[in-house]
Amino acid sequence: MVEKKLNYKSKISHFLSKNGFFIYIMTIFMLLIVSSCNKTIQTEKPSDLIPYNQMIDITTQAYIIESMLYFLPPDSDKVTISRSMYYNMFEENKISKEQYVSSINYYLAEKKSAEKFLRAVQDKISIQRDKYFEKLDISYDYLTQHQPQMDTLS
């Protein structure tokens, strides 16, 4: 059992170092921290910059992927599933991981553009959420107003 845990941890380390998702996530957080300052950062426009609206769609997909991964059972092979989902996202959008990272870095480099970009992603997610609940014939507002009490769940 201990051997499996060590093997699993080494797979995660290998995955993070090889594919750079950890570096990507840390880059995003660092950019958000840096962009929260009032300083303007001059970022060079990448030659293979993904168009703004397409980048919003792709980032929305990435958020949905992360949400799905978060809710997977603990015994799932999240590394393999994550790799597969992101690979499919990149393939579907005909972009590379490097192109996505350079584009996200560009769009999040300055505070105002980062806020605008992330607000657009949030709006897109809200629209998709509302469409989903519409298909179920349930409103999101109804669900948030009629949450079960914790003592009634037992």
Side-chain angles (χ1 to χ4, degrees):
M1 183 74 173
V2 174
E3 193 172 83
K4 278 189 173 182
K5 285 185 179 180
L6 293 175
N7 190 17
Y8 182 71
K9 286 182 180 180
S10 66
K11 284 182 182 178
I12 291 174
S13 297
H14 178 70
F15 171 76
L16 292 176
S17 65
K18 184 174 180 177
N19 292 311
F21 281 114
F22 178 74
I23 293 170
Y24 161 72
I25 290 170
M26 291 306 295
T27 302
I28 297 289
F29 284 114
M30 292 303 293
L31 283 172
L32 289 175
I33 290 169
V34 170
S35 69
S36 67
C37 300
N38 288 330
K39 297 177 184 175
T40 301
I41 301 170
Q42 295 296 326
T43 305
E44 194 173 313
K45 187 176 183 177
S47 60
D48 59 351
L49 182 69
I50 299 169
Y52 186 80
N53 288 333
Q54 182 184 5
M55 193 63 189
I56 289 170
D57 293 340
I58 295 168
T59 305
T60 300
Q61 290 174 355
Y63 271 96
I64 292 169
I65 288 171
E66 288 301 319
S67 297
M68 293 167 67
L69 292 170
Y70 178 79
F71 287 105
L72 285 174
D75 60 344
S76 301
D77 186 0
K78 291 183 180 185
V79 172
T80 303
I81 294 169
S82 172
R83 185 180 299 157
S84 174
M85 293 175 90
Y86 276 104
Y87 177 82
N88 289 337
M89 182 186 81
F90 293 137
E91 286 293 311
E92 178 182 309
N93 290 288
K94 297 177 176 80
I95 61 168
S96 67
K97 179 179 70 175
E98 294 77 16
Q99 185 181 8
Y100 178 76
V101 170
S102 67
S103 295
I104 198 82
N105 289 342
Y106 177 78
Y107 289 121
L108 297 181
E110 295 181 13
K111 182 180 180 180
K112 286 184 182 182
S113 64
E115 288 173 350
K116 179 184 172 190
F117 180 82
L118 294 173
R119 199 172 313 113
V121 171
Q122 181 181 7
D123 291 344
K124 184 106 177 163
I125 291 170
S126 295
I127 289 168
Q128 288 184 0
R129 179 201 62 210
D130 292 343
K131 284 181 182 179
Y132 174 76
F133 286 123
E134 191 177 286
K135 285 181 186 178
L136 295 176
D137 200 25
I138 301 173
S139 76
Y140 179 74
D141 293 332
Y142 175 81
L143 288 176
T144 56
Q145 293 170 3
H146 296 87
Q147 295 180 4
Q149 297 299 322
M150 292 306 286
D151 58 341
T152 62
L153 295 177
S154 50

